[in-house]
Amino acid sequence: MEQFKSIEELTQIDRKHLTLSTLTGKVIDLEKLHAALAAETLNEEVPDELKGQFNIAKNMALYTYYFYALAPEVHLKTYTVIEHALRLKAQPKTHMGLRKLLAKAVKDGWICDAGFRRLETTEPGNEWCQRMVDVIPRMRNSQAHGSSMLVPDCLHYISICADFLNQLYPTNKDIGLHRKGE
C-alpha cells in the first residue's frame, strides 16, 4: 500500500526505484532522466495548448524519480494528450471517441509506422499503427478506470506521445514524408 510521504522523503529518490535496482542492477539517475525527457521535443507547428499539456506529462515523468507511483498517471496523461491532439486535428462535427480518431489518423495518413522512432522502420506500412487503433483506447481505459499496475517506463510513453504529435503537426520539410502512397 502506498504511504503518505514524510516531509524529509519529498526530495529523495523513491524507495521503489532502489528496490527495482536490486533486480536490474541499475539505479535511476535524476540528471539522466531529465536529459532524456528534455530531448523529447515537439515541432513548432504543434499548437501551444498541446505543448503545454505535453510539458505537464514530461514534468510528471520527471517527478516519478521522487514518487514512483506517478508513472501510471504519466501514461494516462500521454493518452489524453494524444486524444486532444487528434481531436484538434480532426475537428469532428460530432463526437468521435479515441478509437475512431485513431482510425481516422491511420486511414488519412496522419500517422504511420515510419514516424515512430522506436519502431526503426522506414517502410510506409502501418501494421503497428493499425494495432494501436485498438490497443491505445484499451490501455487508456485501463488507466482511467482504475489500475494498480506500476510500470516505471515513462520515457517510452513520452516518446510515443511526441512522435504522435509531431506526425499530426509536421514541420514543412516533413509534410508528406510518411504519408500513405508516397
Side-chain angles (χ1 to χ4, degrees), residues 57 60 69-80 143 147 154:
M60 289 170 66
L70 270 178
E73 301 307 318
V74 175
H75 303 168
L76 179 59
K77 183 65 175 174
T78 61
Y79 300 137
T80 60
Q143 293 300 329
S147 172
C154 291

Side-chain angles (χ1 to χ4, degrees), residues 18-54:
L18 300 175
T19 301
L20 188 62
S21 73
T22 62
L23 299 173
T24 65
K26 297 182 207 170
V27 177
I28 189 170
D29 180 274
L30 183 59
E31 287 182 20
K32 287 180 181 174
L33 177 60
H34 185 274
L37 288 165
E40 294 298 328
T41 59
L42 298 177
N43 295 335
E44 281 296 316
E45 291 74 10
V46 175
D48 285 346
E49 65 186 283
L50 295 172
K51 288 178 183 172
Q53 293 303 305
F54 180 73

Side-chain angles (χ1 to χ4, degrees), residues 122-138:
T122 57
E123 297 299 316
N126 279 337
E127 184 179 326
W128 186 81
C129 287
Q130 288 169 351
R131 282 195 314 262
M132 289 300 102
V133 170
D134 291 321
V135 172
I136 287 178
R138 276 199 313 264

